[in-house]
């Protein structure tokens, strides 16, 4: 019988999250379960990411930020760091042929100066190449840490105060947000983390202030477009109050 109500697992296209954040976790465990090296998990994770971006763009999501490499990930064995960096480089190069053609805008957030000259060059190239696109904006968080981002914002505002451009008491939320990597982008509405872990791990601490959190036990390479759709449906069935009633 049809009561004129939307089915619970059907997306309401008039109420989409504007910005989705994803902590892509579990590549290593995915590989271990199959007796494969961790690198195979990261490669499978990169493939999974492409499909998720394509799906998010088709759904009509405006912004998506994915955690690819944190400021803490340098502590991993050098071989794994090197593998991840090469994978990122290939991903950025390949995006010019694949995601760019799907109208995706690709940007990176995080500190660039610690990255190799080759990756820095490729980032500039891919960002320029996709800057005129009008589809989903994909932020790849690369050598990213939220505390560092917040500290940098505080430093910039202190400079403005020191130079007489601002009074401390006049500094607003918007001023602060304008000093973050995500300047001019909306806050994260929906934060997804895979692999059963339920923590933020220094990801977008300012931008997730009012985000709905969605966790799944699935490991990142097993996360499919239908899981993204499920997360969006669950988001739409939650009551967001932003501190009101
Ligand atoms: C966490 O899994 C994942 C990462 C540290 C890297 C995320 C990278 C990708 C999804 C692929 C590459 C991305 C791009 C943009 C090309 P983990 O290694 O911590 O897994 P574990 O917790 O099971 O060990």
């Amino acid at each position: 019988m049809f009561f004129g109500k939307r089915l619970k697992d059907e997306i309401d296209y008039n109420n989409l999250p504007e910005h989705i954040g994803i902590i892509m976790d579990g590549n290593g465990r995915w590989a271990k379960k199959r007796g494969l090296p961790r690198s195979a998990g990261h490669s499978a994770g990169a493939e999974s990411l492409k499909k998720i971006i394509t799906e998010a763009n088709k759904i009509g999501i405006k912004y998506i930020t994915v955690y690819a490499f944190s400021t803490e990930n340098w502590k991993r064995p050098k071989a794994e760091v090197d593998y991840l960096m090469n994978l990122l480089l290939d991903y950025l190069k390949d995006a010019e042929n694949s995601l760019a053609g799907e109208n995706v805008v690709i940007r990176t957030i995080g500190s660039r100066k610690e990255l190799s000259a080759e990756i820095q060059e490729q980032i500039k190239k891919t960002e320029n190449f996709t800057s005129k696109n009008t589809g989903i904006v994909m932020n790849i968080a690369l050598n990213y840490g939220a505390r560092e981002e917040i500290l940098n914002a505080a430093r910039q505002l202190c400079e403005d105060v020191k130079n007489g451009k601002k009074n401390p008491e006049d500094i607003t939320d918007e001023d602060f947000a304008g000093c973050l990597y995500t300047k001019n982008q909306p806050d994260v509405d929906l934060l997804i983390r895979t692999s059963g872990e339920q923590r933020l791990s220094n990801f977008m601490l300012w931008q997730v202030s009012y985000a709905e959190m969605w966790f799944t036990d699935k490991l990142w390479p097993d996360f499919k477009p239908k899981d993204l759709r499920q997360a969006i449906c669950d988001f739409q069935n939650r009551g967001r109050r932003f501190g009101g009633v």
Side-chain angles (χ1 to χ4, degrees):
M1 205 182 302
F2 180 65
F3 292 103
K5 267 193 94 179
R6 207 165 43 83
L7 290 171
K8 263 193 138 176
D9 58 354
E10 212 176 81
I11 291 177
D12 173 0
Y13 290 91
N14 295 314
N15 181 29
L16 292 173
E18 248 192 303
H19 191 163
I20 297 180
I22 309 187
I23 303 178
M24 309 178 288
D25 199 6
N27 294 346
R29 277 162 283 168
W30 183 92
K32 195 172 175 202
K33 260 175 51 182
R34 288 162 176 77
L36 296 169
R38 291 176 60 80
S39 55
H42 294 315
S43 290
E47 286 309 312
S48 190
L49 178 59
K50 262 188 230 147
K51 293 192 186 105
I52 294 302
I53 298 300
T54 300
E55 184 71 5
N57 193 29
K58 264 195 218 153
I59 293 170
I61 303 301
K62 297 272 186 285
Y63 297 88
I64 192 160
T65 303
V66 295
Y67 209 3
F69 194 90
S70 75
T71 43
E72 288 74 36
N73 284 154
W74 297 106
K75 291 182 213 149
R76 295 189 175 205
K78 185 176 179 304
E80 184 170 346
V81 170
D82 288 348
Y83 190 88
L84 276 167
M85 288 297 155
N86 275 321
L87 198 59
L88 280 154
L89 189 61
D90 288 347
Y91 192 91
L92 290 167
K93 283 184 190 161
D94 174 71
E96 292 186 10
N97 302 315
S98 55
L99 292 174
E102 295 174 29
N103 206 18
V104 177
V105 179
I106 298 170
R107 305 188 55 225
T108 66
I109 63 170
S111 173
R112 292 197 190 168
K113 57 182 190 296
E114 294 82 4
L115 302 172
S116 72
E118 194 183 10
I119 294 189
Q120 292 189 40
E121 261 319 296
Q122 187 60 47
I123 290 173
K124 275 192 222 151
K125 235 179 122 217
T126 308
E127 285 191 344
N128 282 336
F129 193 80
T130 62
S131 64
K132 301 269 180 328
N133 283 348
T134 54
I136 193 168
V137 175
M138 173 193 196
N139 298 315
I140 303 176
L142 182 50
N143 194 25
Y144 172 86
R147 284 191 173 183
E148 193 205 41
E149 180 183 36
I150 289 171
L151 268 174
N152 281 338
R155 287 190 188 110
Q156 276 181 54
L157 291 168
C158 285
E159 280 296 321
D160 287 350
V161 169
K162 200 168 82 181
N163 299 331
K165 288 195 204 148
K166 274 199 174 82
N167 286 319
E169 57 275 18
D170 296 335
I171 294 171
T172 62
D173 252 40
E174 288 72 29
D175 291 331
F176 205 94
C179 296
L180 302 175
Y181 292 120
T182 49
K183 176 181 173 172
N184 298 327
Q185 298 188 6
D187 277 351
V188 172
D189 302 298
L190 169 61
L191 176 71
I192 296 172
R193 183 168 188 153
T194 56
S195 92
E197 310 293 349
Q198 302 194 354
R199 49 179 179 265
L200 288 173
S201 304
N202 203 15
F203 184 63
M204 301 190 97
L205 299 181
W206 175 279
Q207 298 91 334
V208 299
S209 295
Y210 290 101
E212 293 293 327
M213 315 262 196
W214 195 85
F215 301 108
T216 174
D217 285 340
K218 284 208 176 164
L219 304 173
W220 175 251
D222 292 328
F223 189 82
K224 299 281 179 292
K226 74 169 171 32
D227 300 309
L228 176 71
R229 301 180 74 86
Q230 185 62 56
I232 294 171
C233 287
D234 288 354
F235 164 87
Q236 294 180 329
N237 285 301
R238 294 190 189 172
R240 299 179 86 198
R241 292 189 296 277
F242 298 95
V245 286

